[in-house]
Amino acid sequence: MCSPGIIFLAQTVVGALGNSSLLLHYLVLYFPGCRVRPTDLMIQHLIVGNLLTLLCKGVPQTMAAFIFKFSLGNIKCKLLFYVLRVGRGVSIVTMCLLSVFQVITISPKDSRWAGLKVKAPRYIGSSIHLSWILYMLINIIVLIYMTGKWSNTTITDLKDFGYCSAIRPDITIDSLFAALVAFPDVLCVGLMLWASSSMVLILHRHKKRMQHVHKASAPRSSPESKATKTILLLVSTFVSLYTLSCIFQVCVTLLSNPSRFLVNTAAIVAGCFPAVSPFLLMSRYSSASRLCFACIKFF
């Protein structure tokens, strides 16, 4: 059985290479002077959020697994968990925006979303920037309660995260903070599920119409069918891993002294989607896939 350190190391290295390769693909493709499509802009911010999540979670977890009594100072713990929470939140928002934008884009001309097809691309950039600001403000409380594991603080009620600790606030404050952090995440996941379901339904109806028009032709996999499979794969992977991660995070939060196994498992599950998502996205770009696998082979 692999040790947690090996799992953290493999997850971080492979995920970082995958996200970096995909980001490099976009930079080479659209630099300099080329116009970036709204979907590509959202994917770029998703990649940045994934990288922040992987590096801020995977690197210290790996070092804590291999180095005895590894710990970080107060300032480093505060910044590390703050950036981690912001990156994770931005990843969720960009996934939500991507799903909503896609369902608006492929909606029929006679639908109620038709009027938003022209307006939606104008607000993508501002929406992404607003999400960064929103999560930077929401997670300021992380800077207050995170501290070093072996700090000189006299507070004894600390929750151990392996290399950092967190001051356990009053149960009322803790509940309010959990609700504040969870509300935008739950809202985004709900919107994403609705948008993805609507998109799959639209593509299914379009496929049936096209089969009716060309029923004499030989059956073959249409672009709509391929897009449907890609959407279902990406969304189902995200929702399943996000739900599983939330379950583990709730367990870690509610327990006064969570076991090291529970903390490590929660960290591994939280890093699964950031590590896997670039390879799901790269299935559309053969050049990006070749670049990524070349980097992995080199290392």
Side-chain angles (χ1 to χ4, degrees), residues 256-275:
S256 299
N257 292 303
S259 65
R260 180 61 61 86
F261 174 79
L262 182 61
V263 173
N264 288 339
T265 304
I268 291 172
V269 174
C272 283
F273 182 78

Side-chain angles (χ1 to χ4, degrees), residues 159-161 168 174 243-259 261-263 265-266:
K159 181 182 294 185
D160 185 14
F161 287 96
R168 292 187 62 86
D174 198 11
T243 303
L244 189 61
S245 176
C246 286
I247 294 173
F248 281 105
Q249 290 297 333
V250 168
C251 294
V252 171
T253 302
L254 295 180
L255 294 177
S256 299
N257 292 303
S259 65
F261 174 79
L262 182 61
V263 173
T265 304

Side-chain angles (χ1 to χ4, degrees), residues 104-271:
I104 293 175
T105 301
I106 67 172
S107 59
K109 295 181 180 180
D110 55 348
S111 69
R112 55 184 175 179
W113 304 109
L116 295 175
K117 286 188 176 184
V118 179
K119 299 179 181 179
R122 305 174 186 173
Y123 300 102
I124 293 299
S126 58
S127 298
I128 295 176
H129 295 150
L130 182 62
S131 67
W132 279 98
I133 296 174
L134 175 64
Y135 277 96
M136 289 174 69
L137 293 175
I138 290 177
N139 290 286
I140 285 178
I141 195 169
V142 174
L143 300 175
I144 301 174
Y145 291 107
M146 291 305 304
T147 182
K149 184 175 181 180
W150 287 289
S151 61
N152 294 324
T153 181
T154 59
I155 299 176
T156 57
D157 193 9
L158 297 176
K159 181 182 294 185
D160 185 14
F161 287 96
Y163 49 90
C164 290
S165 301
I167 302 172
R168 292 187 62 86
D170 180 76
I171 186 63
T172 303
I173 299 177
D174 198 11
S175 301
L176 290 175
F177 172 61
L180 178 66
V181 172
F183 177 74
D185 292 356
V186 173
L187 179 62
C188 286
V189 172
L191 286 173
M192 185 174 58
L193 287 174
W194 165 80
S196 300
S197 301
S198 301
M199 182 165 41
V200 170
L201 182 61
I202 292 171
L203 293 176
H204 178 67
R205 290 175 178 174
H206 177 72
K207 182 180 178 180
K208 290 183 67 176
R209 288 197 300 266
M210 295 302 295
Q211 286 180 343
H212 179 72
V213 173
H214 303 288
K215 58 183 179 180
S217 61
R220 59 182 179 180
S221 180
S222 63
E224 292 81 10
S225 177
K226 294 179 180 179
T228 302
K229 293 178 182 178
T230 301
I231 294 165
L232 284 174
L233 181 61
L234 189 63
V235 172
S236 61
T237 302
F238 175 83
V239 173
S240 59
L241 291 176
Y242 175 80
T243 303
L244 189 61
S245 176
C246 286
I247 294 173
F248 281 105
Q249 290 297 333
V250 168
C251 294
V252 171
T253 302
L254 295 180
L255 294 177
S256 299
N257 292 303
S259 65
R260 180 61 61 86
F261 174 79
L262 182 61
V263 173
N264 288 339
T265 304
I268 291 172
V269 174

